[in-house]
Amino acid sequence: MERLGLEAAGVGDHARRRTVNDRYQTSNSTHLRDRRRGPALQFTHVADAQARRAAANAPSSAWVAGQSRPVVPRVTYTSPEVAHVGATPDEAQARGQAVEVLRVDLTANDRSVLEGDDAGFLKVYLASGTDRIVGATLVAAHAGEMIGELGVAITHGLGLGKVGATIHAYPTQSDVFRRAADTWRRRKLTSSAKALFATWFRLFLSTD
């Protein structure tokens, strides 16, 4: 960086990092670049996404602003892999957002059982009282390949109900997302609704 002579171009820095705003402009507004915000987002895919926005901004006056809270997947390549996207419960609560945790174990996933690889789980963090996905953690053999589905849902405001309404191939590990949605729907049933369904099944489906 020292050899580029950026200071001569009016590009300043702070603590050896170039200062960049939400439009990916440096202190010289004609100079754009990607940026990294703190140690939590020091990923190649984050730099790539930011560079793409900076490139989109360069020839146009229609600025593509950065996200104040980008939805960034993080993957630890262990066996099984550990993937996360969105906020953790602690991060959400720090923002004043109450969350409900919904967990589905891979022991309930037929593909995982068939392959003898069911040592894992999915946790979905929902805004309390809704199906809005705040974040998710997935521990599975190919968690890094799968977590993007929930990243899309968070980015575009798709609730867990819509994720579950999507047909997932069977048997696949990604079917765990549909099962999570089914679990959420069961939780929505009130005690009176449960009693009503129980009565209906007893009256119309009884084999006695």
Side-chain angles (χ1 to χ4, degrees):
M1 295 293 287
E2 290 78 7
R3 297 180 182 180
L4 294 178
L6 294 178
E7 291 77 8
V11 179
D13 62 17
H14 176 70
R16 298 181 61 81
R17 294 183 181 180
R18 301 298 156 184
T19 303
V20 181
N21 65 15
D22 280 344
R23 292 179 174 178
Y24 304 100
Q25 293 171 298
T26 65
S27 50
N28 179 341
S29 62
T30 63
H31 182 274
L32 296 93
R33 72 180 298 270
D34 66 304
R35 69 169 173 189
R36 296 177 180 178
R37 302 186 182 189
L41 299 180
Q42 298 292 309
F43 300 116
T44 302
H45 47 279
V46 175
D48 176 75
Q50 293 172 343
R52 289 173 185 275
R53 289 196 178 96
N57 284 339
S60 173
S61 60
W63 294 101
V64 180
Q67 295 172 281
S68 59
R69 289 178 183 158
V71 179
V72 178
R74 290 96 83 183
V75 185
T76 303
Y77 296 98
T78 51
S79 181
E81 295 178 357
V82 180
H84 179 84
V85 68
T88 66
D90 287 344
E91 290 169 343
Q93 289 169 10
R95 301 174 192 163
Q97 172 69 69
V99 298
E100 298 175 2
V101 180
L102 188 154
R103 173 174 174 145
V104 178
D105 291 319
L106 288 186
T107 52
N109 179 267
D110 289 349
R111 179 65 175 270
S112 299
V113 173
L114 285 169
E115 294 185 345
D117 202 6
D118 60 356
F121 60 85
L122 168 67
K123 284 185 178 180
V124 183
Y125 314 123
L126 302 175
S128 185
T130 76
D131 74 334
R132 183 170 67 83
I133 305 169
V134 174
T137 300
L138 177 62
V139 179
H142 304 289
E145 305 290 341
M146 297 163 58
I147 199 66
E149 180 171 349
L150 295 188
V152 171
I154 296 171
T155 299
H156 298 286
L158 302 177
L160 186 59
K162 289 188 177 180
V163 173
T166 301
I167 297 175
H168 291 77
Y170 177 89
T172 59
Q173 282 196 334
S174 64
D175 190 56
V176 72
F177 300 133
R178 179 197 58 81
R179 188 172 290 272
D182 289 346
T183 301
W184 170 75
R185 289 191 185 94
R186 285 195 295 270
R187 284 189 180 183
K188 285 180 61 180
L189 290 176
T190 63
S191 57
S192 58
K194 289 178 182 178
L196 180 61
F197 277 116
T199 301
W200 189 89
F201 281 119
R202 186 168 59 252
L203 290 174
F204 296 100
L205 299 182
S206 174
T207 57
D208 296 336

